[in-house]
Amino acid sequence: MSSIGTILGVLVAVGGLVSAGYGYRRRRRRDAIAAVETTDALRVTPGPTELYGTAEPADGGAMRAPFSEEDCVLAEWKIEEWEESGKHSSWRTEGSGTLAAPFYLDDGTDQVLVRPDEASVELSGGWGTTEVGVDETPPEPIQAFIDLDATPGEPNEALVKSLDWGTQVGDRRYRQRTLASGEEVYVHGTATRVGAETFGGNDFEVVAAADDGHPDADLFLVADSPESKLLERRRDWVLYLGAGVVGVVAGGGLLVSSLL
């Protein structure tokens, strides 16, 4: 019996299972996107819906981006620190997350309110990066963000604790990409009437799930790309699934041979 072969077989098989699972999830999301046709905001009905238009701030207004003065309705953020160990050096992610504010999707026929708190966010633009040296004072927007009592999106975990300020050394870079007012936005989620208990109400909002007697969507996704692009990106599910199957078979073969 070869312990090295056994360990290697387990690792390869587990890697194959992870890859296959990822590919399967990507295929399910692709199928969910393709299964619902894009509709006009004026013709929204309760249940799964897909909309494409421009993002406009809701009544509460836009929010400020994490690391700059610009306004936006969605933002992905990431904080990285330069780490050196022997001959190896790299940027290590110290914290990341997503910020979202309610916004209206306007497609020219009408407006629909979107509440993206529980949505998967997929922004395709490049990352805007601000690099701050270890001895430099961060710009005011960045300082205000890191002074928050809790990590946005994770209210139960302190930002200071999660990023371990005071014990890290090296330069940091603060990265963000945003969806600003007036930019194109794709939304796939569950439409429900605002104040559904009020008879005759026709205003809609899109959420993750609604307790209104209608079926919920299998996916809640907000992106800055049209459906065609989202489907194209998910063609790789076949590669992940295929690689996963190969990994499971190869890992199983290594396990069997190591036990013989």
Side-chain angles (χ1 to χ4, degrees):
M1 178 183 295
S2 171
S3 59
I4 295 178
T6 301
I7 294 172
L8 183 60
V10 170
L11 291 176
V12 172
V14 170
L17 287 173
V18 171
S19 178
Y22 182 71
Y24 177 71
R25 290 193 299 273
R26 286 185 71 79
R27 191 195 73 174
R28 286 199 63 184
R29 285 199 164 197
R30 190 178 192 276
D31 290 346
I33 293 171
V36 179
E37 292 187 4
T38 304
T39 187
D40 292 339
L42 185 62
R43 301 182 183 276
V44 168
T45 57
T49 192
E50 181 178 279
L51 300 162
Y52 189 72
T54 58
E56 301 296 341
D59 296 339
M63 65 180 187
R64 191 172 79 169
F67 305 138
S68 67
E69 298 284 356
E70 66 181 297
D71 288 334
C72 62
V73 296
L74 289 174
E76 292 180 312
W77 63 270
K78 185 185 301 184
I79 300 175
E80 299 174 328
E81 183 170 286
W82 184 253
E83 180 183 54
E84 297 182 358
S85 177
K87 297 182 180 180
H88 303 285
S89 58
S90 62
W91 288 103
R92 183 183 68 239
T93 300
E94 293 290 324
S96 62
T98 301
L99 298 177
F103 64 90
Y104 286 107
L105 184 151
D106 189 333
D107 67 356
T109 67
D110 202 353
Q111 289 184 332
V112 175
L113 180 65
V114 181
R115 299 190 183 276
D117 290 341
E118 301 178 54
S120 298
V121 175
E122 187 172 319
L123 302 181
S124 60
W127 290 91
T129 303
T130 301
E131 192 166 326
V132 179
V134 63
D135 297 323
E136 298 176 348
T137 300
E140 188 277 330
I142 294 177
Q143 190 63 55
F145 183 86
I146 62 179
D147 284 342
L148 295 173
D149 292 333
T151 307
E154 298 177 11
N156 295 324
E157 183 175 6
L159 180 67
V160 174
K161 177 182 177 183
S162 66
L163 298 185
D164 198 16
W165 298 103
T167 62
Q168 303 297 325
V169 295
D171 296 344
R172 284 200 173 104
R173 61 184 188 185
Y174 301 85
R175 311 185 70 194
Q176 66 178 16
R177 51 187 179 187
T178 63
L179 179 71
S181 302
E183 292 188 330
E184 295 181 339
V185 61
Y186 166 94
V187 175
H188 182 114
T190 301
T192 185
R193 285 187 174 86
V194 178
E197 70 281 357
T198 303
F199 179 77
N202 291 320
D203 290 336
F204 283 90
E205 61 185 16
V206 181
V207 294
D211 186 16
D212 59 6
H214 296 277
D216 293 331
D218 295 328
L219 174 68
F220 190 20
L221 174 65
V222 179
D224 60 355
S225 302
E227 179 188 54
S228 58
K229 291 289 186 181
L230 296 172
L231 293 174
E232 183 179 345
R233 288 179 201 149
R234 286 163 173 78
R235 287 180 180 174
D236 60 2
W237 72 267
V238 176
L239 298 178
Y240 284 105
L241 191 59
V245 172
V246 171
V248 170
V249 173
L254 287 171
L255 279 172
V256 171
S257 62
S258 67
L259 296 175
L260 295 178

